């Protein structure tokens, strides 16, 4: 089987989380969408269709993939999968050349003929897919489409359970059972810990609400309490953590305090006390001590989130914050309900709730958002942060971030103009 995962123009509604990675690399449950499909389908070859500014870094991190490769796409029949499609890995539909899978009105999958492949890498992928779908029978497929950042959070609890069931049904997953005694409230079989994981005494696992999965080399420190469903990724460490249901951690995170129904992409820190709820945290984020977010309004009304600076109604009562990669917060930062913070933002709190919208590559300090005059200090900080985890900040990553810096400039200018307008209005009211 040949597999290609694609992203189309609809991914802009998932900003700021998709600026530095394809949508199919966002973590939900135990895996990214790409990881899940590779485990389930085990293709002979696989590729990806993604935005040009991500091409170099993606090829660097996935050398076995055929990325935006027209010659490879023309080499045989290829199963195309929408990177925004979430599906139970135990309920995969039957893929056929004559059909197109539809989920919530969107194209979820399609088998592409080599002669049709030339249409896929032009500048109108959305139109090309619709044109190809017209020659096929539309069939309803199971699953959901990720449309907004809060979907990653609200779908996470169910996805953890589905991924856990899939892994437990795998013969290879059953070979590494825990060899130590645990304190478990609820069904013991709902807890799975890799044999390399280190769990201190005085850790409580509550599986009454769902399964708990501790991946390889994870460390769970004493006085941590975990509620399922939850997933702890490879090398992640929990320090005296009150972990509520519906939470996933990617690899190499350092986490403490209270966490509820949230996702950490990986390589991020929230070591100290403070609450984080119904939120999504990208990679290489560092949350300073007592950084806390609100995820429920005082009047219990539905929450809106600023996507690209435009307020979007979520239809949800519990929504936290969405932090893109390389965000850094200072001591005592307080995020408002339904906040969105862009790539490489630096936050120095002013003793009050932060703005709900902080654009990429800005600094918030002294109560105002500022556009940085140069990206160079941010790149230097990124290199230092990554080296602390034994990771290299490559030339390709630097070029990608510079491209995002330019692409996000209009958003910064609009945010600064709104801030200036509010300041003028306040000044007039005071006089």
């Amino acid at each position: 089987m040949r597999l290609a995962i694609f992203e189309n123009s609809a991914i802009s509604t998932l900003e700021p989380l998709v600026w530095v990675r394809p949508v199919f690399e966002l973590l939900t449950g135990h895996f990214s969408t790409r990881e899940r499909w590779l485990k389930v389908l085990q293709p002979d070859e696989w590729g990806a269709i993604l935005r040009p500014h991500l091409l170099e870094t993606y090829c660097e991190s996935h050398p076995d993939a055929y990325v935006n490769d027209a010659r490879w796409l023309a080499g045989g029949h290829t199963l195309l999968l929408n990177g925004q499609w979430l599906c139970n890995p135990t309920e995969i539909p039957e893929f056929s050349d004559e059909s197109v899978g539809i989920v919530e009105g969107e194209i979820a999958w399609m088998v592409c003929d080599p002669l049709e492949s030339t249409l896929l890498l032009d500048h109108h992928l959305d139109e090309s897919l619709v044109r190809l779908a017209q020659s096929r029978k539309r069939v309803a497929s199971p699953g959901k489409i990720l449309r907004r950042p809060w979907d990653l959070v609200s779908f996470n609890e169910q996805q953890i359970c589905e991924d856990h069931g899939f892994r437990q049904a795998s013969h290879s997953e059953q070979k590494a059972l825990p060899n130590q005694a645990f304190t478990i409230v609820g069904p013991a079989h709902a807890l799975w810990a890799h044999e390399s994981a280190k769990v201190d005494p005085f850790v409580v696992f509550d599986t009454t609400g769902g399964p708990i999965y501790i991946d390889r080399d994870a460390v769970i420190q004493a006085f941590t309490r975990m509620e399922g469903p939850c997933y702890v990724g490879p090398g992640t460490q929990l320090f005296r953590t009150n972990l509520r249901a519906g939470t996933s951690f990617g690899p190499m995170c350092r986490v403490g305090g209270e966490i509820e129904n949230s996702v950490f992409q990986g390589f991020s820190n929230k070591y100290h006390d403070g609450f984080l709820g119904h939120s999504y945290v990208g990679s290489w984020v560092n949350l300073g001590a007592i950084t806390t977010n609100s995820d429920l309004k005082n009047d219990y009304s539905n929450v809106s989130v600023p996507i690209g600076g435009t307020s979007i109604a979520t239809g949800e009562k519990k929504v936290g914050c969405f932090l893109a990669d390389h965000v850094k917060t200072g001591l005592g930062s307080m995020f408002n309900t339904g906040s969105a913070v862009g790539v490489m933002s630096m936050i120095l709190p002013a003793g009050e709730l932060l703005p709900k919208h902080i654009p990429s590559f800005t600094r918030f300090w002294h109560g105002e958002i500022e556009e940085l005059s140069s990206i160079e200090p941010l790149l230097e900080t990124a290199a230092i942060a990554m080296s602390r985890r034994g990771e290299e900040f490559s030339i390709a990553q630097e070029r990608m971030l510079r491209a995002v810096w330019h692409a996000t400039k209009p958003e910064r200018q609009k945010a600064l103009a709104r801030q200036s307008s509010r300041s003028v209005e306040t000044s007039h009211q005071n006089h």
Side-chain angles (χ1 to χ4, degrees), residues 42-350:
Q42 299 184 7
D44 300 313
E45 296 179 330
W46 71 280
I49 301 174
L50 44 76
R51 288 158 289 163
H53 80 274
L54 299 175
L55 174 62
E56 187 178 7
T57 52
Y58 203 75
C59 290
E60 181 179 70
S61 58
H62 302 283
D64 58 331
Y66 295 88
V67 186
N68 293 0
D69 191 328
R71 180 177 296 182
W72 178 77
L73 285 169
H77 285 73
T78 305
L79 174 61
L80 304 176
L81 296 178
N82 189 333
Q84 292 172 251
W85 177 31
L86 282 185
C87 186
N88 186 335
T90 64
E91 298 178 359
I92 303 304
E94 182 178 346
F95 304 114
S96 70
D97 295 1
E98 297 79 23
S99 302
V100 55
I102 303 297
V103 176
E104 299 175 1
E106 301 289 339
I107 295 172
W109 62 265
M110 184 191 312
V111 178
C112 179
D113 183 277
L115 296 178
E116 299 172 323
S117 63
T118 54
L119 294 172
L120 298 177
L121 291 179
D122 64 16
H123 298 295
H124 306 284
L125 176 62
D126 300 30
E127 296 176 11
S128 298
L129 290 170
V130 170
R131 196 181 317 159
L132 293 176
Q134 290 173 347
S135 64
R136 292 162 168 81
K137 178 184 177 182
R138 294 168 64 94
V139 296
S141 290
K144 303 173 287 290
I145 296 293
L146 292 169
R147 300 182 187 276
R148 295 292 186 180
W150 47 92
D151 291 341
L152 293 156
V153 175
S154 60
F155 296 163
N156 196 55
E157 185 168 332
Q158 179 181 344
Q159 196 66 53
I160 292 172
C161 296
E162 292 173 353
D163 289 343
H164 186 94
F166 166 71
R167 298 182 81 165
Q168 291 303 287
S170 168
H171 177 70
S172 61
E173 293 286 351
Q174 293 180 347
K175 292 181 179 178
L177 295 174
N179 55 10
Q180 52 185 305
F182 295 134
T183 301
I184 304 173
V185 178
H189 65 82
L191 170 65
W192 193 97
H194 194 275
E195 60 186 358
S196 64
K198 181 180 182 296
V199 180
D200 286 350
F202 306 108
V203 172
V204 176
F205 298 97
D206 185 348
T207 62
T208 55
I212 297 174
Y213 194 106
I214 313 298
D215 221 322
R216 65 183 185 278
D217 299 319
V219 176
I220 316 297
Q221 195 179 73
F223 309 112
T224 292
R225 187 182 189 279
M226 305 176 62
E227 293 179 1
C230 70
Y231 169 71
V232 180
T236 283
Q237 300 181 23
L238 303 185
F239 301 94
R240 312 165 308 283
T241 309
N242 180 10
L243 186 62
R244 308 292 297 279
T247 298
S248 292
F249 300 107
M252 302 298 290
C253 294
R254 305 288 184 268
V255 184
E258 182 181 1
I259 314 289
E260 179 181 8
N261 199 180
S262 296
V263 180
F264 281 61
Q265 180 74 31
F267 296 94
S268 288
N269 293 339
K270 183 200 169 298
Y271 179 83
H272 303 283
D273 286 339
F275 171 75
L276 192 79
H278 294 83
S279 297
Y280 199 102
V281 178
S283 294
W284 308 110
V285 173
N286 189 76
L287 303 180
I290 323 299
T291 293
T292 292
N293 81 289
S294 165
D295 62 0
L296 180 67
K297 296 170 69 173
N298 285 346
D299 61 0
Y300 305 100
S301 60
N302 289 345
V303 180
S304 295
V305 177
I307 304 299
T310 301
S311 182
I312 304 295
T314 68
E316 304 282 345
K317 287 183 169 53
K318 278 207 165 189
V319 181
C321 58
F322 304 95
L323 311 181
D325 286 35
H326 294 284
V327 167
K328 304 291 188 289
T329 73
L331 175 72
S333 296
M334 295 184 293
F335 288 106
N336 210 334
T337 318
S339 295
V341 181
V343 180
M344 283 193 150
S345 294
M346 306 290 285
I347 297 170
L348 301 172

Side-chain angles (χ1 to χ4, degrees), residues 349-411:
E352 56 188 20
L353 284 174
L354 297 163
K356 292 186 65 170
H357 176 230
I358 300 178
S360 298
F361 304 101
T362 60
R363 176 175 61 182
F364 179 83
W365 73 326
H366 298 307
E368 292 191 344
I369 297 171
E370 289 187 352
E371 183 174 18
L372 301 177
S373 59
S374 171
I375 193 178
E376 305 308 323
L378 300 178
L379 298 177
E380 293 172 5
T381 300
I384 294 171
M386 294 180 69
S387 68
R388 287 162 59 88
R389 289 286 186 273
E391 299 289 322
E392 179 186 2
F393 182 60
S394 67
I395 297 299
Q397 290 169 326
E398 178 182 331
R399 282 197 282 260
M400 180 269 292
L401 288 168
R402 290 185 186 277
V404 176
W405 158 275
H406 291 292
T408 54
K409 187 174 182 63
E411 180 185 344

